[in-house]
Amino acid sequence: MDSETAGVTACDVLIVGSGAAGLCAAITAAKAGLEVIVAEKTGVFGGTSAWSGGWLWIPQNPQAIRAGITEPDAKPRRYLRALLGNRANDPRLETFLQNGPDMLRFLEEIGVMTWVDGNHVPDFYAHDGAAEGGRSVTTAAYDGRQLGPLMARLRPPLDVVSLWGMGIGSGADMAHFFNATRSPSALWHVTKRLAKHLYDLARYRRSMQLVGGNALVAQLLKGAADSGVQLWHDSPVTRLRHDKGRIVGASVIRQGTPIRITARKGVVLATGGYPHDALRQTHSFAHTDTIAHASAAPKSNTGDGLRLAETVGAALDMSLAEPAAWAPVSRVPDGEGGFKTFPHLIDRAKPGFIAVDMRGQRFVNEADSYHEFMKALFAVTPKGCAPEAWLICDHRAQRQFGIGWAKPFPFPLTRYLRSGYLKRGRRITDLAAQCGLPPEALAQTIARFNDGAREGHDPVFHRGASLYNRVQGWAKHKGPNPTLGPLERGPFYAVKLVPGSLGTFAGIKTTADGQVLGQNGAPTPGLYAIGNDAASIMGGHYPSGGITLGPGMTFGYIVGRRVSGQPIKGLTPSLSHHTKDA
């Protein structure tokens, strides 16, 4: 009888959770010769990372440097200080900035990742030190067939966002879909993508054209498997094991069988934070105390890592500027009496769209980041009222871009209207009645907006003034401002927006090399936290797209080096080398 069937096994490193941060830690440690187990509680690997856009924010990354985009060390640090204030003194920020580019190089050099630059992706804010591009990277599209049997264990794309289960990449891929009825070349691109997808559905029962976060996780999974990492699905970790103050392993239920794991070098918590932990939400999400917080993260992200850490005396940091990465979402009926969540990350900024609060008035620059959108909604919502809004567009905009779950032409709208998800009115006043908004106020709001939009101006919220706004708009728009267009052609459509998130920011306190800090302020030997289990190094702020995956994977790389005794850039040898095993 082997050790596993006897309920006991051993490894060097146990990683709890299988998102991009955990998989990066696994690969880094395994490439250094360590035995690694990844324990994922669900039946699929990838966590929130597999549903993400797959973007990483890594200043001074090698892809930008190859394109001739260089910046002094001080510039990204000025940008972070402008946004984060005192939080910019967090020593983890410096570790991230110094090691992020090396993480990208490492994964590329060992053949795990093929990176694509985001050299035209600007930061969210036009503050001191902001960049117009060169700080973002993503992954190339990936053929899922290369995963072999593991493909069946990759978390599929978020169904309400995908097209029949086919992910659509940001940038050029999505632009082709928006322009398919106006450009023969775009139509040809879309036709080929759909034909390939239908073939994949017939043969493999899912898309093999992987983009964004799905492509990112697929390549990491392949790299982990090829590096000898044991990938355990349906294997929740139930408790941590400790001896004389050191974490020495964990108890796991692997596909129904209890197993005790000894982890000689340490345990790494990477379970994705707590967006679906209802009890913890009540205490930390003060903004959403009047409505359920509808996170776009997988339902399995219920705070397991935080609970495990607390059982061994870990300290949590719940004092961040914001506890979560806020995003407006709409609730999509699932046909079974419940709802799924659609994150509105793209449509708000397109010409022909406007957002109003429950008074029928604009409250925000719709083309600003999703995080800022929700902060603005929280600010104008009276205490005791639900922070809700309506996203509104005209017929022309809906048919070109869609609105949330309601897909653009040539998809019919009957399904969305019949379910109640989509509201429609021949006139603005008719739409107001459908949404429970004051008709005169809404009509006046849209009339004022249209007056400026026709000229490409937004005198109230200055939509389109920043480079980020303009990139979020539609470059082929005929008007003078790529994000502004009047709502003129009825019928008019609306979708209700409620508070949501892409994940949590608050979490476990950690050191500059990822060790979990105890209530006494000292590191907990043998225990690490990365990704959304660790408190965000951005202090609850959202400087740019990719500030979750970028730091998450960087600290996965840092922790992988630490447990394998490799030096970490920016840390003294006494901190960056793993202590002798007990």
Side-chain angles (χ1 to χ4, degrees):
M1 181 180 293
D2 62 32
S3 61
E4 190 169 298
T5 55
V8 178
T9 193
C11 63
D12 291 315
V13 186
L14 170 64
I15 296 172
V16 190
S18 66
L23 291 173
C24 188
I27 292 168
T28 307
K31 284 296 184 181
L34 300 187
E35 297 178 42
V36 182
I37 294 174
V38 171
E40 165 59 50
K41 79 173 184 179
T42 73
V44 289
F45 298 109
T48 309
S49 302
W51 280 358
S52 73
W55 285 95
L56 290 74
W57 192 73
I58 306 284
Q60 300 178 301
N61 64 72
Q63 286 66 38
I65 293 171
R66 289 171 196 162
I69 301 174
T70 60
E71 58 180 335
D73 292 349
K75 188 176 179 182
R77 290 161 177 80
R78 289 204 315 271
Y79 180 62
L80 291 172
R81 185 163 296 280
L83 265 74
L84 275 57
N86 290 337
R87 285 279 184 173
N89 296 322
D90 188 333
R92 298 177 302 161
L93 268 176
E94 189 60 33
T95 316
F96 158 65
L97 291 170
Q98 291 199 40
N99 289 275
D102 287 346
M103 177 272 293
L104 296 176
R105 290 188 193 96
F106 167 71
L107 291 175
E108 185 176 53
E109 288 170 359
I110 64 174
V112 169
M113 296 300 305
T114 301
W115 298 112
V116 174
D117 71 73
N119 290 340
H120 299 288
V121 178
D123 289 328
F124 281 175
Y125 304 93
H127 291 327
D128 180 35
E132 295 184 353
R135 292 177 178 172
S136 300
V137 299
T138 188
T139 180
Y142 187 71
D143 184 350
R145 292 175 297 181
Q146 296 185 53
L147 264 181
L150 259 181
M151 184 63 188
R153 293 294 173 188
L154 173 67
R155 182 180 293 278
L158 182 60
D159 56 357
V160 295
V161 173
S162 67
L163 184 58
W164 302 320
M166 180 182 74
I168 300 174
S170 57
D173 191 31
M174 185 169 293
H176 282 307
F177 277 84
F178 286 153
N179 208 36
T181 60
R182 294 163 175 81
S183 163
S185 60
L187 178 60
W188 178 237
H189 173 89
V190 170
T191 300
K192 288 190 297 182
R193 288 276 273 123
L194 289 174
K196 176 65 167 61
H197 178 60
L198 292 174
Y199 172 81
D200 287 346
L201 288 180
R203 181 166 182 179
Y204 304 107
R205 297 187 178 181
R206 67 177 294 176
S207 179
M208 293 292 159
Q209 307 171 90
L210 307 184
V211 298
N214 235 224
L216 176 74
V217 170
Q219 291 176 77
L220 291 170
L221 270 178
K222 181 71 161 54
D226 290 348
S227 302
V229 174
Q230 297 183 59
L231 298 165
W232 291 7
H233 59 84
D234 294 306
S235 300
V237 173
T238 56
R239 72 179 183 93
L240 297 174
R241 297 176 52 241
H242 53 92
D243 182 31
K244 299 178 181 178
R246 178 181 177 84
I247 302 304
V248 296
S251 297
V252 181
I253 301 177
R254 187 184 185 191
Q255 298 177 38
T257 300
I259 298 174
R260 190 176 68 205
I261 299 178
T262 296
R264 294 179 288 265
K265 301 287 187 180
V267 175
V268 183
L269 302 175
T271 69
Y274 65 99
H276 292 288
D277 181 341
L279 180 61
R280 205 178 299 272
Q281 275 195 33
T282 300
H283 290 93
S284 66
F285 291 180
H287 296 305
T288 58
D289 57 357
T290 55
I291 188 170
H293 168 238
S295 178
K299 297 289 187 184
S300 55
N301 290 18
T302 53
D304 297 346
L306 276 67
R307 282 194 296 276
L308 288 169
E310 285 183 300
T311 63
V312 295
L316 304 184
D317 187 356
M318 311 301 282
S319 65
L320 281 65
E322 296 291 341
W326 299 121
V329 302
S330 52
R331 295 165 64 83
V332 177
D334 63 6
E336 299 176 357
F339 295 91
K340 296 180 180 180
T341 303
F342 186 101
H344 289 259
L345 309 183
I346 297 170
D347 48 9
R348 298 172 289 106
K350 297 296 185 284
F353 282 81
I354 188 175
V356 300
D357 60 18
M358 300 308 289
R359 301 169 300 168
Q361 298 178 7
R362 287 182 75 207
F363 59 93
V364 70
N365 175 343
E366 295 91 343
D368 277 349
S369 75
Y370 32 88
H371 191 65
E372 282 297 317
F373 183 100
M374 286 310 306
K375 286 171 61 180
L377 180 58
F378 293 144
V380 300
T381 301
K383 187 173 178 59
C385 295
E388 299 174 344
W390 287 91
L391 184 63
I392 299 171
C393 68
D394 69 359
H395 185 71
R396 177 170 46 194
Q398 199 289 324
R399 292 287 74 192
Q400 181 173 7
F401 302 111
I403 179 170
W405 179 50
K407 302 292 189 290
F409 180 84
F411 294 90
L413 299 179
T414 305
R415 175 188 185 188
Y416 313 114
L417 292 164
R418 188 173 293 164
S419 69
Y421 172 84
L422 182 67
K423 305 298 183 183
R424 180 172 65 185
R426 292 183 60 190
R427 297 179 296 272
I428 291 295
T429 51
D430 298 331
L431 183 68
Q434 289 284 319
C435 301
L437 297 171
E440 289 187 9
L442 180 60
Q444 291 172 5
T445 294
I446 292 181
R448 288 193 298 268
F449 175 82
N450 285 350
D451 288 342
R454 292 187 189 98
E455 304 300 322
H457 299 299
D458 176 12
V460 181
F461 293 103
H462 310 292
R463 178 166 150 188
S466 73
L467 178 59
Y468 175 74
N469 279 184
R470 295 192 294 274
V471 168
Q472 291 296 102
W474 181 237
K476 298 181 184 296
H477 178 51
K478 294 180 179 179
N481 187 323
T483 190
L484 282 176
L487 285 71
E488 296 177 314
R489 184 178 299 176
F492 301 93
Y493 301 92
V495 168
K496 179 181 275 192
L497 304 180
V498 299
S501 79
L502 305 182
T504 46
F505 281 154
I508 302 166
K509 289 185 177 181
T510 57
T511 65
D513 57 354
Q515 296 181 84
V516 169
L517 288 169
Q519 297 285 349
N520 60 358
T524 305
L527 187 61
Y528 305 85
I530 57 178
N532 283 357
D533 277 355
S536 170
I537 65 172
M538 302 298 173
H541 300 277
Y542 213 130
S544 195
I547 57 92
T548 297
L549 283 176
M553 289 184 64
T554 299
F555 276 93
Y557 169 75
I558 288 169
V559 166
R561 290 182 67 84
R562 190 191 193 284
V563 296
S564 56
Q566 301 177 77
I568 297 168
K569 190 176 288 185
L571 296 181
T572 62
S574 61
L575 284 176
S576 63
H577 284 78
H578 189 52
T579 56
K580 186 176 181 180
D581 292 333

